[in-house]
Amino acid sequence: QVQLVESGGGLVQPGGSLRLSCAASGSIFSIYALGWYRQAPGMQRELVSRITTIGNTNYADAVKGRFTISRENAKNTMYLQMNSLKPEDTAVYYCNAAGLGNNFWGQGTQVTVSS
């Protein structure tokens, strides 16, 4: 089992930055591929970014060049640095850990981009 807890969300003005964190406990963190997803009101949950066990990354087109995903296995933590935020980035952001046939989710953290 892996327990995931997101933090770092909040209200930010357009053009601002936020850094989300996802702290994990339980199983061995390093063996899981990790990802950030988001869900806006009335919309389906969508992939924002993913990072593999060896650090390969991919991003949704909407966030390329603005968001950066990273992981620190020694700290059992994953991050999402979000720059140049736009109102359309407003959503609940969830972290995910997947591997060995398992799929774990955090409870989510709200990000609101508004002036």
Side-chain angles (χ1 to χ4, degrees), residues 24 27 47-48 55 62 104:
S27 186
L47 175 67
V48 175
F104 302 104

Side-chain angles (χ1 to χ4, degrees), residues 16-100:
S17 298
L18 282 175
R19 188 194 197 201
L20 304 183
S21 298
C22 175
S25 61
S27 186
I28 303 172
F29 184 73
S30 61
I31 66 175
Y32 292 98
L34 305 173
W36 287 99
Y37 291 73
R38 67 186 182 186
Q39 187 167 18
M43 304 292 286
Q44 288 190 331
R45 191 172 297 188
E46 62 177 4
L47 175 67
V48 175
S49 182
R50 187 185 290 123
I51 185 167
T52 69
T53 56
I54 59 173
N56 294 326
T57 61
N58 67 290
Y59 297 89
D61 288 343
V63 307
K64 279 181 182 176
R66 300 188 297 121
F67 290 11
T68 303
I69 191 171
S70 61
R71 64 191 293 170
E72 282 191 72
N73 290 337
K75 294 185 177 181
N76 279 6
T77 304
M78 173 178 64
Y79 306 97
L80 185 69
Q81 178 66 43
M82 305 187 295
N83 299 328
S84 302
L85 282 160
K86 304 175 181 180
E88 51 264 43
D89 294 319
T90 296
V92 178
Y93 284 70
Y94 298 90
C95 65
N96 171 268
L100 303 179

